[in-house]
Amino acid sequence: DVKVTQSSRYLVKRTGEKVFLECVQDMDHENMFWYRQDPGLGLRLIYFSYDVKMKEKGDIPEGYSVSREKKERFSLILESASTNQTSMYLCASSVQRGYTFGSGTRLTVV
Amino acid sequence: QKEVEQDPGPLSVPEGAIVSLNCTYSNSAFQYFMWYRQYSRKGPELLMYTYSSGNKEDGRFTAQVDKSSKYISLFIRDSQPSDSATYLCAMRLYGGATNKLIFGTGTLLAVQP
């Protein structure tokens, strides 16, 4: 069965910490995405990547960066975590049809 | 104005009811339309996938696209408590290397036993 795996389900971090969220897919997909999901705001695209070492900004990239050194792995980095980055983070990968999502990482920044 | 509008609900129905979930959109260039189901504390999963206008049926679920009205619907027949979830519509343009989807904000559905 195809899978997108996010390394942590729940994370609690302190303001100012550097945070790494990891995502791995086993489907050999070229396209990978990072979203955050907040009540009333829905899914908002942070960054996406359509190939190794390629990245594109989404709608809300400020305060985030990404890394894609291998096709199967797409990492989201919060350079200096802030309380307004408390959210559910969802990774997804795709080919032509819709996305396959991971289970999400609920990040709390205190 | 958002590209995709979706009533957030919550929508509460009795078991066995027919449920209608809807989205409107503004970009007439959208060609692919999807519905995702998201259970609490889980990632969204693809439920229905359609191309252009028309209907598509899969078991108790029917997806309908009306491109002339820029309106899509998801119907659930004989709704079950296990259908209780948030339903997100999504759509994208034809082609494009990144297949970037635009999502609605989701409708929370509760099916009461």
Side-chain angles (χ1 to χ4, degrees):
Chain A
D1 198 12
V2 295
K3 272 194 172 178
V4 175
T5 303
Q6 293 184 232
S7 54
S8 305
R9 291 297 307 276
Y10 301 95
L11 275 178
V12 180
K13 297 292 182 180
R14 294 194 181 278
T15 301
E17 275 194 77
K18 192 168 186 176
V19 181
F20 294 85
L21 302 182
E22 305 288 345
C23 176
V24 178
Q25 51 102 352
D26 65 359
M27 296 166 284
D28 203 35
H29 286 171
E30 293 174 342
N31 305 321
M32 296 188 74
F33 305 82
W34 274 106
Y35 283 86
R36 62 178 284 178
Q37 186 176 31
D38 301 286
L41 298 176
L43 285 158
R44 292 182 292 167
L45 182 63
I46 304 171
Y47 267 97
F48 61 98
S49 168
Y50 52 88
D51 203 350
V52 175
K53 297 192 186 293
M54 305 301 286
K55 61 184 178 184
E56 294 277 347
K57 292 180 180 179
D59 301 316
I60 52 162
E62 296 79 19
Y64 303 94
S65 62
V66 290
S67 172
R68 193 161 180 206
E69 296 297 318
K70 293 185 178 182
K71 192 175 187 180
E72 66 271 18
R73 186 180 296 269
F74 191 35
S75 302
L76 180 69
I77 303 154
L78 285 66
E79 298 292 342
S80 177
S82 64
T83 54
N84 64 11
Q85 292 178 310
T86 291
S87 186
M88 168 74 109
Y89 289 88
L90 288 160
C91 174
S93 72
S94 81
V95 183
Q96 287 295 330
R97 289 173 66 90
Y99 296 174
T100 301
F101 281 92
S103 295
T105 297
R106 184 163 294 281
L107 172 67
T108 302
V109 182
V110 297
Chain B
Q1 183 192 5
K2 289 182 182 177
E3 277 193 285
V4 179
E5 299 275 1
Q6 184 174 10
D7 187 333
L11 181 62
S12 181
V13 301
E15 184 175 353
I18 296 174
V19 176
S20 172
L21 303 166
N22 311 294
C23 287
T24 58
Y25 61 95
S26 57
N27 189 344
S28 58
F30 286 134
Q31 294 281 353
Y32 296 89
F33 303 90
M34 283 139 272
W35 286 95
Y36 285 80
R37 178 176 60 196
Q38 185 177 21
Y39 291 115
S40 181
R41 289 186 281 276
K42 299 276 189 177
E45 57 177 332
L46 182 63
L47 195 59
M48 299 288 282
Y49 182 95
T50 54
Y51 170 68
S52 197
S53 284
N55 293 358
K56 183 175 182 179
E57 189 173 319
D58 184 1
R60 296 185 294 109
F61 298 89
T62 300
Q64 197 171 77
V65 175
D66 181 350
K67 290 192 70 184
S68 62
S69 302
K70 301 194 190 72
Y71 190 87
I72 69 170
S73 300
L74 178 70
F75 298 97
I76 307 174
R77 290 185 300 282
D78 187 26
S79 56
Q80 302 295 310
S82 58
D83 296 326
S84 298
T86 297
Y87 290 81
L88 299 128
C89 63
M91 48 202 77
R92 70 171 177 89
L93 304 172
Y94 179 80
T98 60
N99 303 305
K100 193 170 62 168
L101 293 181
I102 309 300
F103 286 88
T105 52
T107 300
L108 178 60
L109 171 67
V111 181
Q112 307 297 334

